[in-house]
Each structure stands twice: as C-alpha cells, then as structure tokens.
Amino acid sequence: MAERTTGPEQTTRHEPTRTADRARDAAAREAWAEAYDAFHALGPEGLDPDDLSVLADAAWWTSRTEESVAARMKAYTGFAAAGEARKAGYSAWMLHYEFQLAGHAAASAGWLRRARHHLGDQPECVEQCYLAWVDTEEAQRRGAFAEAMSCAGRMAATARRCGSADLLAMSTQAGAGVLLAQGRVAEGLAILDEAMCAAMAGELSSFFTGWIYCLGLRHCMASADLGRAAEWSDAAMDWCATMPEENAFRGLCRVHRAEVLELRGAWPQATAEAALTCEELLPDNASAAAGAVYLAGEIQRRRGESAAAEASYGRAHELGRDPQPGLALLRLAQGKASSAAAGLRLALAGPGDGTPARLDRCRLLAAQAEISLALARLDGAGAAADELTALADDWERRRGSTTGILHATAAATGGTVAFAERDLDRAVRLLRRALGLWLELGVPYEAAQVRMVLAAADRAAGDDEGARLELGAARAAFEVLGALPDARRAAALLGLPGTLTARETEVLRLVAAGATNRSVAAELSISEHTVARHLNNIFAKLDVSTRAAATAYAYTHGLA
C-alpha cells in the first residue's frame, strides 16, 4: 500500500505543478501579467524551454524587455540542445528581431544566422515564413523590388500551405511595404487594407493583430495618408479596448498612435501616449523614443510653453532625432528669424544618404515658407511652395487622389505666399481649398491657422464680415486645443476687450515696415515714450518678446 502524504508536505510537493499549470493556462488566455507572475514565482531554473519561451512572451507584453530577451535565450539553448530545430530557429529569429529593434546590429545579425542554420534544411514549415520576411525586407532595402515581391510571395505560399492566418496576413503587409517603397502607392495601400481587415475581423492572434496594426499605421503615416491612419488607429483602439491592459499598444506602436492623436487635436491623449512610449522604449530604442519626445515638444510649442518645448527638442536631438522644423518655428516665435532660417536650411539639405521622408520634408518646406515670409524673402517662400506643390502632384499621380496632408499643406502654403504677393484671388482660392482639406481630415490646429490667413485675405479684399467669421472660428478652435498664444492673437485681430487697439495696430504696422520708435512717434504725432508703451502692450497681447517676432506676426497676418 502506497504511503499517503498529508498536510503541508503534500501542498509543497504539488505546488510547483499547480503554479506551472496556472501559468500555462493564463498564457493560453493571453492574460500575460498573470502568466508572468506565475512563471516568475517558479524561477527560470524550474522551467523547461517551452515554458521559458512563454515566459519571454509574457515579459515582452508586460514591458520587461530585458527579461524577455534573457528568457528567450535560455529557451533557445534548451531547444538547440534537445535538437528541436524549428523551435530553436523561431527563438533565434525572435532574438534577431528584438536586438534589431534595440539597435544592436551585430547581435541581431548573429541570431539571424542561427535562425537560418536551424531552419534552412528543414522541410517546409511555418517558421520559414520569418526568414522569407527578412529576405523581403533586405531585398527591398537594396532596391531589388522584383526579388522582394518574390520573397513576399514565397512567404505567403508557405503560410497558406502551413495554415497560418497570422503569417499570411504578415506576408500581405510585407508585399504592401514593397509596393509603397516602389512608389506604387495606390496598389500598396489597397493591399495594406486587406492585411488590416484580417486584424479588424479578429482572424489573428493578439500578438499579430497588434503587429499588423502597428506596421499599418507606420506605412500610412509614412505615406502621408492621415485619413487612412486615423481610420485604422480608431479600429486599433477599439481592439485595444477589448483586451487586457497589458495586451494593448506598446512602445513603437504608441509612436504612430500619438502622431495621429496630435494631428487630430487630442493633445492631452497624445502627450500621455508619448510619455508612455518613452517609458517603454528607453533605453532600448532611443531613436523611436526620440520621435515621441519631439512630438511632445510640438504640442508644448503650440501651447506657448517655450521652455518646455526647447527642452523637449534638445532631448530629441540627444536621442538622435533632428529637432527641425519645430525648433526653427520656436525660434521664429521668439523673434530669432535668422537663427530659425539657418537651422532649417541645414535640415532641408538632408543627410548625405538620401532625403527625408515625404511627410517630414513636407513639414520642413512649410516651415521654410513661413520663416522666409517673416524675413520678407518672397523668393525663398515661393520656392518652398513650388516644391510642396510638386510633392503633392507626385503623390496624386502615384495614389490617384487629391486629398491628404500633402495637398492641404501645399494649398495652405501656396495661399499664404500668394497673399504675401498680394494676389488676393489666388490666395483666397488656395486657402479655401486648404481649409476644406484640413476640415475633411479632422486636423483642427492646421485648419485654424489657415483661417487666420484667410481672415487677413478677406479683410484685404474688403470682406470684413468674412474676416470676423474666420477669426472667430479660429479663436474657438485654438481655445479648445489649448493653443493660448494663437487664441490671444485671434482675439487681438477681432478687436476684443484687452486686445490690440486701433492705435496699437497702427504702431505695429509701422514697426513691421521697419520704422524706429522716433519715426513712429513723428508719423503718429505722439511721444517716443508713448510708442514704447504701445509696443510693450503689443508684445504682451501677442505673446511675443521682440520687434522681430511682432514683425513676423504682422507680416503673416496681413498687418504689414
């Protein structure tokens, strides 16, 4: 008769098994925080390679990147020692991917070689899809697009035969990326939609659903397609709302989500997403975190938080992100137009290995036009507007559509330059087109900025009522956003209590024309002391600190 064990001793003997079962059950339910706690309680020495692999997933989902990598390496060692080539190959590929994201090129390449070693001689298996994916991206980087599409096709065929909906969707996404890199935008985005639909329909695992959404948002933003990015971002957030907190967007994915939120005027949420991005990515992925820091700087600049914005731009630069055009626009607001132009000129020259991405260059050119106008350099502003129009026209040819960020920015910049040149008919036409596009895209800050210039054009054309309507709408939008400096300027132009008086407006116009305090005093038959007092009031009301900044404002808004 077998000896029975009772009491505490029996509990101790069976507790590890129950804990392991609980951990595996939690992982199967994708309750990653619960799975991590249970596996962690057992300790890595008590886990077999399969459990270590799941622990790595749980650590990754709960933002413990270093623990994830450590557990994955232990799992790899166990699989390799046991001769389980497919599992060892998969573990090696995941380590390659993690080290690639962290910017460790040598370690990433080493683990990729190991993955190829384990999987290269195997009969067709789903793990080989990961190698085909790498081959697709490597060929794409070389510009060998036919080879890249062939690799994406091989990935799709393998995924289909092996019955992996996850990797079939990823192969579709990979093919879309190749088409977009080729400039075949309409085809690429259409195929991308197909991959995103698989995620939206719940056909994929949580890991791949998040991955597909993340990569899709990146492609949409790189293609300057805010409408698509916003639509898929909303779908992704709906999915996140159905998942446990730890299964939602992480790190890199938050960057793209924050970009969409910032453009759509949800600045508090965008700021929160940017902060979480930095928390999750630093110090492992500084370049991605830099984008989030820069975005926070953009929101701070527009809110009038100059010191905070300057600190954010500096931090973004430390992390490897060019702080332009935000820093140049901050310098312009501080009245340092020449400094702004110098910094922007270097950014527009671009690195020696290529030009900035389409959307980045669009923003640089728009800033160049604004700064050139503040310096009364109409030729420079016109050249920037012409290049923006060319970018938008090229986008239209590739995509077959006239909507989007590029077209809105090109129309707004072209209209502003036309107004500076006093071509009122062309200015109003382009500005109204820009306003319509920004409103259609749901970008409130840019729409309000266009309204400010449109109000100046309306006033110059004698339409004072139209000007008041535009200024009122702009002021309301700025106040909702928290863009207080812009709200004050709109209020000043409306002539509201506490804003510029008629005399202050006269002083500003003369100062913007280059007049000294003495000449202003002579022109208006007032004392120099009175001129100085008016200037102090103007600076306070327009939230500027120098004559140059006041001049830039007057020139941009038709007061000069």
Side-chain angles (χ1 to χ4, degrees), residues 290-303:
V293 175
Y294 176 83
L295 185 143
E298 289 288 86
I299 294 172
Q300 290 158 347
R301 173 175 62 81
R302 291 169 173 175
R303 283 176 168 165

Side-chain angles (χ1 to χ4, degrees), residues 10 85 146 165 192 204-205 222 240 273 275 346 349 406 458 466 483 493 503 519:
Q10 184 180 34
L192 179 65
L204 313 179
S205 68
C240 284
E273 290 289 325
L346 293 173
L406 294 184
D458 285 343
L493 292 173
R503 176 63 85 186
S519 59

Side-chain angles (χ1 to χ4, degrees), residues 413-468:
T413 303
T416 303
V417 172
F419 174 63
E421 295 171 340
R422 293 303 182 260
D423 185 347
L424 292 183
D425 289 343
R426 183 167 180 269
V428 170
R429 174 172 53 81
L430 287 173
L431 291 168
R432 291 198 182 284
R433 183 188 181 208
L435 178 59
L437 289 172
W438 286 127
L439 291 174
E440 180 182 337
L441 289 168
V443 182
Y445 182 79
E446 301 295 347
Q449 289 282 25
V450 170
R451 287 188 189 277
M452 294 286 283
V453 186
L454 188 55
D458 285 343
R459 180 178 286 128
D463 184 5
D464 290 338
E465 181 65 25
R468 282 194 295 274

Side-chain angles (χ1 to χ4, degrees), residues 37 79 111 184 197 208 248 295 335 366 375 494 536:
D37 290 341
F79 289 137
W111 283 109
R184 297 162 62 182
C197 282
F208 279 89
L295 185 143
L375 291 168
L494 277 167
N536 286 334

Side-chain angles (χ1 to χ4, degrees), residues 244-400:
E245 182 179 352
E246 69 269 18
N247 293 24
F249 272 86
R250 293 184 61 249
L252 286 170
C253 303
R254 289 192 192 277
V255 175
H256 311 306
R257 171 65 176 166
E259 289 175 340
V260 174
L261 288 169
E262 185 269 331
L263 283 166
R264 299 183 86 186
W267 290 356
Q269 297 94 314
T271 301
E273 290 289 325
L276 282 170
T277 297
C278 294
E279 180 182 326
E280 292 174 354
L281 291 179
L282 287 174
D284 296 321
N285 196 331
S287 61
V293 175
Y294 176 83
L295 185 143
E298 289 288 86
I299 294 172
Q300 290 158 347
R301 173 175 62 81
R302 291 169 173 175
R303 283 176 168 165
E305 301 165 2
S306 298
E310 185 149 1
S312 293
Y313 292 139
R315 179 59 172 154
H317 177 72
E318 289 174 8
L319 295 173
R321 205 273 192 203
D322 188 339
Q324 303 295 359
L327 182 58
L329 293 172
L330 177 63
R331 292 287 177 257
L332 179 64
Q334 293 169 337
K336 304 173 184 177
S338 296
S339 173
L344 200 60
R345 185 166 56 250
L346 293 173
L348 280 162
D353 57 354
T355 57
R358 183 182 290 110
L359 185 54
D360 289 342
R361 186 152 189 89
C362 168
R363 288 166 171 159
L364 288 170
L365 290 167
Q368 181 190 29
E370 184 174 346
I371 292 167
S372 295
L373 288 176
L375 291 168
R377 298 172 182 170
L378 291 181
D379 289 347
D386 289 344
E387 186 177 342
L388 268 170
T389 300
L391 277 176
D393 289 344
D394 178 65
W395 170 254
E396 182 177 349
R397 285 191 296 272
R398 294 173 185 273
R399 187 183 174 216

